[in-house]
Amino acid sequence: MRDDVAQKVNADQLARLLGDWRQGTAYMDLAQALKALILDGRLSVAARIPAERTLAAAWGISRNTVASAYQRLREEGYLRSRQGAGSYAALPDGAERAPRALSWVPGQAVDTHIDLTCASLPAPEPAFSLAVADIATRMARHSDGHGYDLVGLPALRQAIADHYTARGVRTTADQIMVTVGAHHAWGLLLRLLVRPREPVLIDSPTYPNALEAIRSHGARPVPVGLDDAGWDIDLVESALRQPRPAVAYLMPDFHNPTGLVMPEPARRAVVDAALRSGTYVVVDETLSEVNLDAGPLPPPMAAYGRPGAVISIGSLSKTVWAGLRVGWVRASKSVISRLVAVRGPSDPGNPLVQQLIACRLFEMYDELLRARSAELVAQRTALTDVLRAQLPQWRFTVPRGGLCLWVDVGAQISTKLSLAAGRHGVQVLPGPRFGADGTLENRLRLPFALDADTLTTGIARLREAYDEVMADQPATPRTWNRTRIPTPALPATRVNPTERLPR
C-alpha cells in the first residue's frame, strides 16, 4: 500500500465523479470508468472506495457487476484490496515513480529550443529599469544600518498591507512578512505548521513546486481531484474530516495549472470545514491578480471565517518578474512572530535592494497590471488559435486569468509526448508533474507567457512530436463521458446489470 494518506470516497461521491458511465457491458464499463478516474487524477491513488456490497446496494445494481469490475481492476493493477481493510485505488507497479524523474527546474532550453515549462513573464520594460534607477536615490537613507531584517522593510510591508485592504481584507503591516518569493513562504509555513509524516491536503492537479516542498519536508500529500467544473466541496470536506490534515494548500484564484476560480460559497464552506477540523488553510495568491477578462472575483479567502483563519502567500513573480524574488506571507501577528523564529540565522531576510525596487513598483502597480493583462490577452489568443488550428483534437477551457492552458490531449501519453517534444526542439511539462501519484498522463500544461511568434513555432513543433507519439500508439480505446453531474437521485430498487443507471 502506498505511503500517502488514504481518503475515503463514498458511493454518492463516486457517482458524481463517474457521471454517466454505462455504454455497453456493465462491469467492463464500470471498470474502465473507474480506471479513467484514477488515471486523470480525479480519484486519487490510495483513495479507499466503497465495498462491493455497499456500492451495489447504494446504486441499485447487481453485486456481481461491481465484483467483476473490481476484479478486472485488481488484475490490471488499478485496485488493491486487503481482507478487512477495504479496496484502494492504485497504479500498476512502477507507474507511480517514473514521471517524477523529470526535472521541474525551468530555463533548461538550449540553442533553438523553445521552453514551455515555465509560466513566468519577462520584466516589464522600461518600467522595471526605471524603478531600479530610481531606488539608487533612496539607498542612502537605509545603508547606514546592518541591513538584516527577518520580517521585511517596513515601507514594503505597509504597501502590501494597503494592497490587501484595497482588495477588501483589512490588513496591517505587522500581519505581513516579506519572503524570497511565494515558494520560500510556503517552505517556511511547512516548517512552522507541519510535523514530518503529517498529512497536507492539496488539489490534484497542483503546483509542482508546492508538492515537492511537502515531500521534501517529509509530510504526506492528501490529493483531492479537480475536474473541469472545479472543486467538489463534499470531497474537500470529507478529506478535511478524515485524515484531518495539518494544512490545506489551495489556489482558489486562477488555479495553477487549471485556471479555475473557486466560487464564493465554496470558499466559505472550505474555511468553515477547516476550522472544524483544526486545519490551517494556506492560500497561494500568486496568480490572483493576473485577471485577463476584467470580471469581478470573489473576495479573497482571508475574508472568510474568523480573523487569522486563513494564511495567504503571494509574490510579484507572476505580475512583475520572477527574478525580483519578492514574496510575502499574510497571517495573524502571532504566526508572523513565530515565522521569525523559523527563519533563523541561515535565512537573514530579503536583500534590501530588491525590497526597495518592490516598493517603487507598488507605487505603479495598478498601471503595471493593466499593461500585463493586455499583453497576456493577446498571447492567450495566439496560443488558443494555433492549438485549434494545429491540434483540433485537443480539449481545453480558456481560463479567465492566469498564465496557462490545462490541455487534455485525449490519450495517456503526456510523459512520452514531453520526451518526444524535446527531440523536436520544444520543452513541456507533462501532466504527472502536477499530480501526487503519477496520474494525469492525459494532461499537458501550456503557458502563454511567450510572444505570439514563439508560441506558434512551439506548437508546430509540439504537433510534430504528437504525430510521432501517436504513430506508435495502439488503436484508440473507447472514451467515456467525463461530464460532471449533480448528485444523482439513486434508485431505491435493485436492477439487473443490463439496465442503465440514472443520469
Side-chain angles (χ1 to χ4, degrees):
M1 191 62 60
R2 284 170 46 86
D3 192 40
D4 291 340
V5 179
Q7 180 189 1
K8 186 176 180 180
V9 178
N10 64 36
D12 286 357
Q13 293 165 343
L14 193 58
R16 282 202 307 277
L17 288 171
L18 284 171
D20 183 13
W21 55 269
R22 288 289 294 270
Q23 295 191 26
T25 306
Y27 84 90
M28 291 181 63
D29 285 349
L30 180 56
Q32 290 287 359
L34 285 168
K35 178 179 173 180
L37 284 184
I38 296 167
L39 286 171
D40 67 17
R42 287 177 291 156
L43 183 63
S44 63
V45 171
R48 183 177 179 179
I49 64 174
E52 296 168 5
R53 186 187 303 275
T54 301
L55 194 62
W59 289 4
I61 62 175
S62 166
R63 185 179 176 186
N64 287 338
T65 297
V66 181
S68 297
Y70 279 19
Q71 182 58 32
R72 186 178 182 91
L73 291 170
R74 291 187 195 98
E75 292 170 355
E76 295 182 1
Y78 291 95
L79 194 67
R80 296 178 186 171
S81 303
R82 287 205 308 263
Q83 186 69 32
S87 296
Y88 297 82
L91 286 178
D93 291 338
E96 302 175 39
R97 301 303 173 193
R100 292 180 59 188
L102 295 170
S103 173
W104 60 267
V105 179
Q108 302 300 305
V110 293
D111 299 326
T112 58
H113 278 55
I114 294 173
D115 185 1
L116 292 178
T117 65
C118 190
S120 292
L121 294 161
E125 295 293 1
F128 186 81
S129 293
L130 292 173
V132 172
D134 184 62
I135 63 101
T137 63
R138 310 186 187 194
M139 283 296 299
R141 65 187 84 163
H142 298 280
S143 58
D144 56 346
H146 52 67
Y148 295 117
D149 190 340
L150 293 174
V151 188
L153 191 68
L156 179 55
R157 293 166 63 205
Q158 186 62 59
I160 296 167
D162 290 345
H163 196 65
Y164 271 104
T165 300
R167 292 176 59 202
V169 182
R170 188 174 181 83
T171 305
T172 57
D174 52 10
Q175 292 176 268
I176 301 294
M177 170 185 273
V178 180
T179 61
V180 188
H183 187 59
H184 176 231
W186 174 228
L188 290 173
L189 288 167
L190 282 171
R191 288 165 57 190
L192 176 66
L193 303 175
V194 183
R195 293 190 296 269
R197 307 285 301 166
E198 280 194 309
V200 176
L201 187 148
I202 58 169
D203 299 322
S204 180
T206 192
Y207 178 48
N209 292 357
L211 182 57
E212 289 304 318
I214 294 169
R215 289 186 170 126
S216 297
H217 184 66
R220 296 184 289 173
V222 180
V224 178
L226 297 176
D227 64 15
D228 292 341
W231 291 261
D232 187 318
I233 298 306
D234 186 35
L235 284 173
V236 175
E237 291 177 340
S238 175
L240 288 168
R241 283 194 307 270
Q242 292 164 8
R244 295 181 70 87
V247 166
Y249 171 85
L250 302 171
M251 297 187 70
D253 296 322
F254 309 127
H255 176 273
N256 183 2
T258 67
L260 292 164
V261 175
M262 184 183 288
E264 183 171 358
R267 297 176 189 234
R268 190 180 305 279
V270 168
V271 173
D272 289 345
L275 286 171
R276 290 193 296 272
S277 69
T279 299
Y280 285 96
V281 178
V282 175
V283 175
D284 187 335
E285 296 184 322
T286 53
L287 288 165
S288 64
E289 294 183 294
V290 188
N291 188 347
L292 306 185
D293 292 336
L297 291 178
M301 283 192 76
Y304 303 94
R306 57 174 171 75
V310 174
I311 299 172
S312 305
I313 59 179
S315 79
L316 295 178
S317 294
K318 303 301 184 184
T319 53
V320 181
W321 187 43
L324 189 60
R325 308 309 304 139
V326 170
W328 56 82
V329 177
R330 180 200 179 274
S332 65
K333 298 175 187 178
S334 63
V335 168
I336 296 297
S337 64
R338 291 160 61 198
L339 282 172
V340 171
V342 168
R343 291 190 84 154
S346 63
D347 180 5
N350 286 47
L352 179 61
V353 172
Q354 279 94 322
Q355 293 186 76
L356 288 170
I357 295 171
C359 284
R360 180 68 184 92
L361 291 169
F362 265 109
E363 294 173 13
M364 61 179 84
Y365 197 49
D366 290 343
E367 180 182 347
L368 284 174
L369 289 176
R370 285 192 294 271
R372 282 301 203 203
S373 178
E375 175 185 5
L376 285 168
V377 166
Q379 292 172 192
R380 181 185 63 181
T381 300
L383 179 58
T384 56
D385 285 351
V386 71
L387 276 175
R388 287 167 178 149
Q390 294 277 342
L391 291 153
Q393 62 273 59
W394 288 11
R395 188 169 63 90
F396 57 86
T397 299
V398 180
R400 293 168 48 199
L403 292 167
C404 53
L405 300 182
W406 185 234
V407 180
D408 185 343
V409 299
Q412 303 292 323
I413 60 167
S414 184
T415 298
K416 291 180 182 178
L417 180 57
S418 69
L419 295 172
R423 297 192 293 270
H424 287 267
V426 60
Q427 293 181 310
V428 293
L429 279 181
R433 292 296 307 128
F434 300 85
D437 41 33
T439 59
L440 302 168
E441 276 286 3
N442 64 314
R443 291 285 186 168
L444 200 66
R445 189 190 74 169
L446 295 177
F448 43 85
L450 300 175
D451 65 85
D453 289 342
T454 304
L455 289 171
T456 299
T457 303
I459 298 305
R461 295 177 183 181
L462 192 58
R463 170 60 190 267
E464 294 172 357
Y466 174 74
D467 289 343
E468 175 187 309
V469 170
M470 293 306 292
D472 294 332
Q473 289 294 107
T476 305
R478 266 187 318 182
T479 57
W480 271 259
N481 189 337
R482 294 182 182 179
T483 303
R484 184 177 175 185
I485 59 172
T487 305
L490 297 173
T493 57
R494 196 179 184 85
V495 297
N496 67 53
T498 62
E499 293 181 271
R500 289 183 62 86
L501 284 181
R503 292 180 181 267

